Amino acid sequence: MLIDEFLPDHDFVETHSVSIHADAADIYRTAYEVDFSESFIIRWLMCLRGMSGGSLTMRNLKRYKFEMLRESVNKEMVIGLVGRFWTIGGGLQTIDAESFKKFNKKGFAKAVWNFSLAEDGANTRLTTETRIKCLDPDSRRSFGFYWMFIQPFSGLIRMEMLKTIKRKAEAGALSI
């Protein structure tokens, strides 16, 4: 998987998936186009993190320092972020795919997040995985404490994203 290219070794991981009655191309396109801010839960939780204002799509995540690191169309997209997530401002860094791989500064953590698609009988399974690598023991302790509190909400956002993509992709498949 492409996610392994960016963060094969990680300290924290979270995975969620859903089976969708639509083909991979429709799901992939939906994941790119859907406005996740349509979900009250996502909008509210992102607002708490200071990510409010306007639509929230894969195309405009860059304004929040998320970077599309790599993608294999209709198979997988990998998004990355570097920062001090446990701090108020987040200490988010500007990165691209190459600088993400090379980034190794103490006091920071790297996060990757993917959406991957696989056949699931007559359906397609959409999985999202989030991996975090802390770059020194102090950041691992700080992030670990932060993760105890934020992980349920982070997971809720990912599950809500999957649910939104499923609803939109299946509605689109039915209208064809």
Side-chain angles (χ1 to χ4, degrees), residues 14-132:
E14 182 171 354
T15 305
H16 302 280
S17 69
V18 65
S19 185
I20 302 175
H21 190 67
D23 67 30
D26 289 336
I27 296 167
Y28 198 86
R29 185 178 59 255
T30 299
Y32 249 109
E33 295 173 356
V34 70
D35 182 358
F36 296 110
S37 69
E38 291 176 12
S39 163
F40 172 77
I41 292 170
I42 293 173
R43 190 173 57 250
W44 185 73
L45 290 172
M46 295 302 239
C47 186
L48 286 176
R49 189 61 174 134
M51 295 173 60
S52 61
S55 66
L56 180 63
T57 67
M58 290 297 172
R59 295 187 199 287
N60 67 14
L61 280 174
K62 193 171 191 141
R63 69 179 159 178
Y64 302 110
K65 301 278 187 168
F66 288 90
E67 185 67 40
M68 183 66 68
L69 299 176
R70 183 120 184 256
E71 62 184 309
S72 177
V73 176
N74 301 334
K75 293 181 181 169
E76 184 181 7
M77 62 179 76
V78 180
I79 300 137
L81 185 66
V82 173
R84 293 181 173 122
F85 312 125
W86 54 94
T87 66
I88 301 264
L92 302 178
Q93 304 293 295
T94 301
I95 50 106
D96 61 21
E98 283 310 306
S99 62
F100 181 91
K101 288 177 184 178
K102 294 175 184 174
F103 194 94
N104 194 25
K105 192 173 178 183
K106 286 184 175 184
F108 285 86
K110 299 182 347 178
V112 290
W113 162 38
N114 80 342
F115 285 96
S116 62
L117 296 149
E119 288 184 25
D120 187 23
N123 295 333
T124 304
R125 178 148 303 275
L126 175 62
T127 301
T128 183
E129 183 172 344
T130 304
R131 298 177 182 179
I132 297 95

